Amino acid sequence: MNNPFLPKPARLVAVREETPNIKTFVLKPEEEFSFAAGQFAALTVPGVGEAFFTPSSSPFVKEEIEFTIMRVGRVTTALFARKEGEVLGLRGPFGKPYPLEKFIEKEVFLVGGGVGLAPLRSLFLALVAEIEKYKKVYLRYGARTPKDLVYKKELKEWAGYKKCDLLLTVDVGDATWKGRVGVVTTILDKIPCDVRNSVSVVCGPPIMMKFVTKRLLEVGFSPKDIYLSMEKNMSCAIGMCGHCRLGRYFICQDGPVLTWEQVKEIEDPFV
């Protein structure tokens, strides 16, 4: 009988610095580990503990799995001290993925903020791998400063992808920055897709998600077509402990991706 709390070994094969406090960790699981974009997993640092993250790599790549993580607590601080070659633990995947079958023949409007681009990167890579299925993919992404943008090299490459449209912004520019300046909602003044045949996926800080959702509703997106990454503090990841409850939903089981239609009646769901 499989023990859902038992992590499987995964070797840390590379670490990439994205920003001063965000790194991408590349793991090679010793056993096959498959996931779909939007699902999450528990990453264990032996002797320290585990924390939950959504993979940032393509779900079509099976040999390795990537997590882009901000250093914010005890486990992530310990993780940042780990070296290539060390063995970590991995359990999952958990939760429900993005329903890509509902995105087919539609325009997909992605909005991310800060390290919230990590789950969207996995989704973006899944979409562009089969871009013929979708009408167009838009990505709107913002960070606090140019130094805080993750995947800087990839963002330049993605801008040239077929049927993709990218627009970036930073809250505060500097001498190197020639792009838009302002919070993410400032680049949503014009939403070029046909909202009658589009879906939107939003991931980022709660306050950003709140105002992005408000803007999407203003321009006519249907509540059922706005997908939100409602990540909460999780513990068991299998719906037993109740730590991640949001209204009648358990984020670890019913989410982490929920539509605005599902959460709109919950008092301030972004807290």
Side-chain angles (χ1 to χ4, degrees):
M1 181 178 178
N2 290 330
N3 182 348
F5 296 106
L6 184 64
K8 297 177 180 177
R11 191 169 299 278
L12 182 62
V13 296
V15 180
R16 296 195 301 269
E17 183 170 309
E18 302 288 351
T19 77
N21 66 340
I22 298 174
K23 291 182 178 180
T24 293
F25 298 84
V26 184
L27 280 77
K28 188 175 182 62
E30 293 188 2
E31 299 177 23
E32 182 174 332
F33 188 94
S34 296
F35 69 98
Q39 289 187 296
F40 65 97
L43 190 56
T44 302
V45 180
V48 180
E50 69 174 11
F52 296 92
F53 307 99
T54 300
S56 56
S57 52
S58 170
F60 295 116
V61 176
K62 303 299 182 184
E63 297 79 15
E64 295 179 345
I65 181 170
E66 299 181 4
F67 295 89
T68 300
I69 297 170
M70 176 183 288
R71 181 169 50 192
V72 293
R74 185 173 60 90
V75 174
T76 55
T77 297
L79 180 60
F80 271 54
R82 292 301 184 266
K83 305 295 184 185
E84 294 176 10
E86 293 191 43
V87 175
L88 305 176
L90 197 58
R91 68 181 180 99
F94 303 109
K96 294 180 179 177
Y98 296 111
L100 296 188
E101 69 282 0
K102 295 183 178 179
F103 297 0
I104 293 173
E105 295 297 326
K106 293 186 176 181
E107 295 177 279
V108 184
F109 193 75
L110 310 179
V111 186
V115 75
L117 185 58
L120 294 183
R121 177 183 182 241
S122 180
L123 173 60
F124 179 85
L125 295 174
L127 293 170
V128 299
E130 300 179 313
I131 194 63
E132 69 281 0
K133 292 184 177 180
Y134 312 99
K135 293 196 71 173
K136 193 163 183 173
V137 177
Y138 298 86
L139 174 61
R140 301 295 183 257
Y141 171 54
R144 193 169 60 85
T145 73
K147 291 181 180 178
D148 295 312
L149 291 166
V150 297
Y151 315 129
K152 295 179 183 66
K153 182 179 178 182
E154 289 175 80
L155 289 169
K156 294 178 181 177
E157 296 174 355
W158 295 351
Y161 280 11
K162 181 182 178 184
K163 296 169 71 174
C164 294
D165 180 310
L166 273 65
L167 186 57
L168 311 180
T169 187
V170 295
D171 295 356
V172 181
D174 61 21
T176 68
W177 181 250
K178 307 302 181 186
R180 298 280 292 266
V181 176
V183 297
V184 171
T185 48
T186 64
I187 55 174
L188 304 183
D189 51 349
K190 295 181 181 178
I191 295 180
C193 55
D194 177 4
V195 298
R196 296 167 299 179
N197 189 39
S198 300
V199 297
S200 183
V201 183
V202 186
C203 187
I207 190 68
M208 185 214 84
M209 293 178 59
K210 178 178 181 178
F211 285 99
V212 169
T213 300
K214 181 174 183 289
R215 177 59 182 155
L216 295 173
L217 292 168
E218 285 175 352
V219 299
F221 273 90
S222 170
K224 67 177 176 54
D225 292 328
I226 300 174
Y227 294 85
L228 306 164
S229 289
M230 305 298 291
E231 297 185 16
K232 296 284 185 180
N233 289 331
M234 286 180 270
S235 183
C236 71
I238 55 175
M240 294 178 63
C241 71
H243 284 182
C244 64
R245 190 162 186 171
L246 178 67
R248 62 188 177 91
Y249 300 105
F250 289 96
I251 296 299
C252 69
Q253 295 288 289
D254 304 306
V257 181
L258 296 172
T259 66
W260 178 244
E261 180 69 31
Q262 290 175 287
V263 302
K264 66 181 182 182
E265 302 299 334
I266 298 173
E267 184 178 1
D268 206 349
F270 297 110
V271 171

